[in-house]
Amino acid sequence: MDTVSLEHQIQSVQRHISFLKKEQMALLRDLHLEILRLQKRCSELTHDLEMREAQSHQQEEASRELESKCRALESQLAARTAANAELRREVAQREALVSALRCSLRSEERRFLEELRRRSHRATPPPQEPPDQGGAQPNAPSPPGAPGDPE
């Protein structure tokens, strides 16, 4: 019986070894498939990361470009604001000058009209009185004590 039992044990061990080999082969195949799946996923993730980095780089580049344009526009705005302020000061100065010139013109116009009136009064002779029948001259002074003398 020893031989039969030993043969039985050998067959049993061989079956176990065969079973273990099949299990090992299935496990190795599954592990290999898992490795391939993980490698594929790693490649996909690497590609996604590279795409995101490229997009991030492009966004950073666009952001830097926009910031540069923004600074340039802010600089232009500051320059135009300063120019605008200078123009406003100049306009205010010119308005003050115009106002002063208008006042001066009005004053000159008043003086001119006054001078014109004064000259007009000098140029027109005073109205003449009708000659007196007493033979007195119209512009001659009356003798003292004459009638109409206020003294």
Side-chain angles (χ1 to χ4, degrees):
M1 279 230 354
D2 259 346
T3 4
V4 174
S5 133
L6 193 57
E7 280 184 25
H8 238 318
Q9 285 180 350
I10 291 175
Q11 285 177 358
S12 177
V13 168
Q14 284 177 345
R15 277 194 304 260
H16 283 296
I17 290 175
S18 177
F19 175 76
L20 289 174
K21 280 184 179 180
K22 286 179 187 176
E23 286 295 313
Q24 181 185 18
M25 289 303 274
L27 182 63
L28 285 174
R29 182 181 38 108
D30 289 344
L31 287 174
H32 182 67
L33 290 175
E34 182 67 16
I35 288 170
L36 290 176
R37 187 187 70 76
L38 290 173
Q39 284 176 337
K40 182 179 177 186
R41 180 69 180 144
C42 183
S43 293
E44 290 170 354
L45 291 173
T46 302
H47 178 70
D48 287 348
L49 181 62
E50 288 171 352
M51 292 301 288
R52 286 181 183 171
E53 286 176 351
Q55 287 175 348
S56 175
H57 179 68
Q58 288 174 348
Q59 287 175 347
E60 288 174 5
E61 185 69 31
S63 177
R64 281 192 294 268
E65 187 175 318
L66 287 174
E67 286 175 3
S68 174
K69 286 181 180 179
C70 187
R71 276 192 257 48
L73 289 173
E74 286 173 346
S75 175
Q76 286 179 359
L77 176 64
R80 288 185 180 179
T81 300
N84 194 14
E86 180 62 30
L87 288 173
R88 286 178 191 259
R89 282 190 293 276
E90 188 176 322
V91 165
Q93 288 173 350
R94 288 186 180 186
E95 285 175 348
L97 180 61
V98 164
S99 178
L101 288 173
R102 282 184 180 156
C103 285
S104 175
L105 180 62
R106 285 185 195 122
S107 176
E108 287 294 319
E109 185 178 20
R110 271 187 253 117
R111 279 190 229 127
F112 176 75
L113 289 174
E114 288 172 9
E115 180 67 24
L116 191 61
R117 282 186 208 122
R118 199 168 22 103
R119 286 185 183 181
S120 162
H121 288 314
R122 281 188 208 161
T124 57
Q128 294 185 353
E129 295 179 14
D132 273 345
Q133 294 188 349
Q137 293 182 359
N139 288 338
S142 51
D149 192 16
E151 293 181 30

